[in-house]
Amino acid sequence: MAVRKHYFTSESVGEGHPDKVCDQISDAVLDEVFRLDPDKERSRVACETYVTMGLLIVGGEITTNAYIDIQKLARNVIKDIGYTHPKYGFDHETCAIINTIHSQSPDIAQGVNIGGAGDQGIMFGYACSDTDEYMPLPIVLAHKLVKRMADVRRSNVLRYLGPDCKSQVTVEYDAGEAKRVDSVVLACQHTDEILDASAKHIKPKARQEMIDVIAKPVLRKLIDKNTKFYVNQTGKFIIGGPQSDTGMTGRKIIVDTYGGTVPHGGGAFSGKDPTKVDRSAAYMCRYIAKNIVAAGIADKLSIQLSYVIGYADPLSIFVDAYGTGKISDEKIVKLIRENFDLTPKGIIRSLDLLRSFYRKTACYGHFGRDDSDFKWEATDKAAILKKKAVKL
């Protein structure tokens, strides 16, 4: 029986958030390796980035035949994000950049080069029929809000906005069905031109502008007269980005996935080549779950895979259809085993992962995106799964 009225919250962060700056730089390094190295199958990338006031450090393990100009690459990403002036507290031209990258351990390489997983661990995937994206509504809305903030900033509709931003959305559910948005949090970095005379708070007009221009076009009929808005709740948000907070690759794993609706295995995505099953197997889990839900085999489904370093096949497959399955969970596992290649090489081949597209994944979530580069979002197996499920 579905739980009656309850509330669920998810958050997202924008491209100028310090952690997302790091994710984008790490994935830009991966993209550059795949762009320049002719032997992509042998390229190995585990790139970590750290940023703080005036300083960015790029480190990790990379094995490649390509030469990557880390300084130039990182500055271009920072510029593209929007840190182009000291007024934002971080500037692509003046920040210091340190490169501490070295090569991958040969002990790991000897197991990976023959097709084994790049690490041990557990990965989760999820899909549901709640939204057109087959994603939980709170995280879909949270991502759309920070994307809207970026679009409004870049088009100068609200010219006082800075690159750093966050959102949070609480949705009210009744009997498992989303009814309305109960509360919205907007944290928007801005310049000092919208401060009141006390210089401690943004002007009421600017606060209302952010609600009208950013939130309402995204949330539309989901908000009502009782929806609560919290906009720059401390009063102002001038000091943002790396000036106010350190950032690191891989610290927004719940933002990157399902907004807390289902567990996360613990491994981050950005900066890792697809031999690292933390990333590639999580993409495959989403691909499987979305196709099963799109086939009508279940209304929602979570899947867990587990791997050990140097071994190709998953050690276990677990699914939970939350009682919504048209066939048993055991039969769904059988369907998965018969229709998906779950080895690292099979995943890479199935999802075409040896490409330069990863920086796009580093903002606004890795799942639920309408982008042809996100092969794990395709529902191309739904029809055949539906036919085969009937025969089980």
Side-chain angles (χ1 to χ4, degrees):
M1 182 177 179
V3 177
R4 300 302 297 179
K5 184 180 290 188
H6 71 281
Y7 300 84
F8 194 84
T9 303
S10 294
E11 71 155 347
S12 185
V13 298
E15 59 185 323
H17 186 282
D19 292 334
K20 281 294 153 196
V21 171
C22 293
D23 284 346
Q24 289 173 89
I25 290 171
S26 293
D27 271 340
V29 171
L30 175 59
D31 283 344
E32 196 72 350
V33 168
F34 280 158
R35 187 178 73 86
L36 296 176
D37 194 338
D39 191 8
K40 294 176 176 57
E41 291 188 2
R42 293 278 175 165
S43 296
R44 299 288 180 264
V45 179
C47 182
E48 309 285 346
T49 304
Y50 167 86
V51 68
T52 188
M53 184 185 296
L55 173 66
L56 186 136
I57 302 173
V58 183
E61 300 81 45
I62 295 180
T63 301
T64 181
N65 295 315
Y67 168 72
I68 311 300
D69 187 338
I70 297 294
Q71 288 260 349
K72 181 178 179 181
L73 182 69
R75 292 190 194 280
N76 285 340
V77 173
I78 296 165
K79 179 182 179 182
D80 186 54
I81 289 169
Y83 286 110
T84 57
H85 194 282
K87 66 182 178 181
Y88 299 128
F90 197 71
D91 185 2
H92 74 286
E93 291 185 327
T94 59
C95 66
I97 297 176
I98 299 174
N99 178 5
T100 63
I101 290 171
H102 57 92
S103 62
Q104 184 187 52
S105 163
D107 294 348
I108 296 174
Q110 70 179 6
V112 175
N113 289 343
I114 61 172
D119 203 353
Q120 71 176 51
I122 56 175
M123 300 84 212
F124 288 88
Y126 179 76
C128 60
S129 58
D130 295 2
T131 62
D132 292 341
E133 295 87 354
Y134 293 91
M135 290 284 286
L137 182 60
I139 190 65
V140 169
L141 296 177
H143 286 322
K144 286 183 177 180
L145 284 173
V146 290
K147 180 63 167 62
R148 175 71 178 168
M149 291 184 209
D151 292 343
V152 166
R153 170 176 60 90
R154 291 179 179 278
S155 61
N156 282 320
V157 173
L158 298 180
R159 57 191 177 86
Y160 49 76
L161 292 180
D164 197 357
C165 64
K166 299 176 74 173
S167 71
Q168 188 169 286
V169 179
T170 299
V171 174
E172 179 184 318
Y173 289 85
D174 193 355
E177 183 180 349
K179 293 296 184 181
R180 56 184 290 273
V181 169
D182 183 68
S183 66
V184 182
V185 177
L186 300 177
C188 309
Q189 185 186 15
H190 59 85
T191 56
D192 60 8
E193 64 191 87
I194 60 169
L195 294 180
D196 62 16
S198 72
K200 293 181 179 180
H201 300 275
I202 59 174
K203 296 174 182 177
K205 178 184 176 183
R207 179 185 182 276
Q208 192 60 49
E209 269 186 337
M210 293 180 196
I211 294 171
D212 292 341
V213 176
I214 296 169
K216 288 184 177 179
V218 170
L219 304 175
R220 300 182 185 276
K221 294 181 180 180
L222 288 167
I223 56 177
D224 56 31
K225 60 184 178 63
N226 295 317
T227 299
K228 300 174 285 291
F229 290 92
Y230 302 92
V231 181
N232 291 3
Q233 196 61 23
T234 65
K236 62 180 180 178
F237 185 13
I238 292 178
I239 301 173
Q243 184 182 15
S244 67
D245 191 13
T246 58
M248 295 184 71
T249 300
R251 285 208 300 202
K252 288 293 179 284
I253 57 177
I254 301 304
V255 169
D256 285 343
T257 54
Y258 305 100
T261 299
V262 293
H264 188 287
F269 299 157
S270 290
K272 296 179 180 178
D273 75 77
T275 65
K276 280 73 172 173
V277 284
D278 277 342
R279 182 172 214 160
S280 55
Y283 289 173
M284 178 57 87
C285 285
R286 164 64 177 175
Y287 180 56
I288 294 167
K290 186 173 181 181
N291 275 273
I292 288 172
V293 173
I297 297 169
D299 294 331
K300 57 181 176 179
L301 184 86
S302 66
I303 174 173
Q304 183 207 64
L305 299 178
S306 68
Y307 290 85
V308 63
I309 192 167
Y311 188 75
D313 291 311
L315 304 184
S316 65
I317 304 174
F318 171 79
V319 302
D320 186 355
Y322 306 93
T324 70
K326 309 304 184 292
I327 59 176
S328 69
D329 290 353
E330 291 78 12
K331 288 183 177 179
I332 292 175
V333 171
K334 187 173 187 295
L335 198 63
I336 291 168
R337 289 187 183 277
E338 292 176 352
N339 291 278
F340 296 92
D341 186 341
L342 301 178
T343 65
K345 283 188 175 181
I347 293 170
I348 290 168
R349 182 175 59 252
S350 298
L351 302 180
D352 192 16
L353 295 177
L354 297 180
R355 295 175 290 125
S356 297
F357 73 99
Y358 287 97
R359 187 188 157 193
K360 289 196 289 185
T361 69
C363 282
Y364 314 121
H366 293 245
F367 308 124
R369 303 273 294 277
D370 183 15
D371 189 308
S372 60
D373 277 330
F374 291 52
K375 303 295 186 182
W376 52 91
E377 292 299 318
T379 55
D380 53 330
K381 287 214 171 189
I384 192 169
L385 290 173
K386 186 174 183 176
K387 289 180 180 179
K388 291 188 175 183
V390 175
K391 299 177 182 179
L392 291 178

